[in-house]
Amino acid sequence: MELKSFRLENYSDSKQEHRSIIIQLWNDKLSHKYLYDLSKEIELLNELYIYDKKNKAFIVYYEDKPIGYISLMSVDNKCTISYGLIPEYRGKHLCTNLLREFTYEVLKTYEDINKLSLIICNDNIGSQKVAKNAGYEKETIIRYSKYRKMQ
């Protein structure tokens, strides 16, 4: 998937650089709290990929440096995006831009998707701001969604 400001690589356990980002996110207190166990998520995405090719995990590159993780999970026509950046790249509007660009590409690439969701914990104020600034609207207490249909 091609984005304007970022490069995405399909996650691969065989790439040390990819594993390193997942480990950095796991070891970061905030990421660990909100992203839970990315290894299990990636495992699940790989299993789901067999049935629906939309299910993918990516390592995010910015200026040729790996800076985070983003994924799309599609189950029963419900699509959810999960994301996280390593600490030194937070607070620079990169995550907002990443989410905005990723959302646009997902909706452009998969015409059968007309709704994307983010599941955000109540106390994750940073991610709530990212979602709002990327064009998502609050749907429930912990879920943000924006209904869109690309032409």
Side-chain angles (χ1 to χ4, degrees), residues 35 37-45 69 71 73 82:
L35 287 174
D37 190 342
L38 286 179
S39 297
K40 288 190 188 306
E41 180 176 316
I42 291 166
E43 211 173 281
L44 177 60
L45 285 165
Y69 167 88
S71 69
M73 184 177 291
S82 178

Side-chain angles (χ1 to χ4, degrees), residues 35-146:
L35 287 174
Y36 309 107
D37 190 342
L38 286 179
S39 297
K40 288 190 188 306
E41 180 176 316
I42 291 166
E43 211 173 281
L44 177 60
L45 285 165
N46 287 336
E47 290 172 18
L48 292 169
Y49 182 81
I50 296 166
Y51 307 103
D52 186 342
K53 303 297 185 219
K54 290 184 215 81
N55 291 287
K56 291 184 184 174
F58 301 96
I59 295 300
V60 178
Y61 287 80
Y62 179 72
E63 296 178 346
D64 289 326
K65 294 181 181 129
I67 66 165
Y69 167 88
I70 194 162
S71 69
L72 177 65
M73 184 177 291
S74 175
V75 179
D76 298 329
N77 292 329
K78 293 178 184 169
C79 295
T80 305
I81 295 174
S82 178
Y83 57 86
L85 297 183
I86 57 176
E88 56 266 33
Y89 288 92
R90 295 181 194 146
K92 301 174 182 183
H93 302 284
L94 291 173
C95 205
T96 298
N97 293 337
L98 170 65
L99 182 59
R100 188 180 296 127
E101 289 181 30
F102 188 74
T103 298
Y104 176 81
E105 281 304 315
V106 166
L107 293 172
K108 184 175 97 173
T109 302
Y110 304 109
E111 293 179 1
D112 59 325
I113 296 176
N114 58 17
K115 178 183 175 183
L116 291 168
S117 296
L118 310 171
I119 298 173
I120 302 172
C121 293
N122 292 334
D123 63 344
N124 192 346
I125 305 304
S127 198
Q128 290 176 27
K129 287 179 183 176
V130 165
K132 183 178 179 188
N133 291 336
Y136 283 75
E137 296 174 350
K138 194 169 187 175
E139 184 179 78
T140 64
I141 291 176
I142 63 167
R143 184 182 301 265
Y144 281 71
S145 292
K146 175 75 176 186

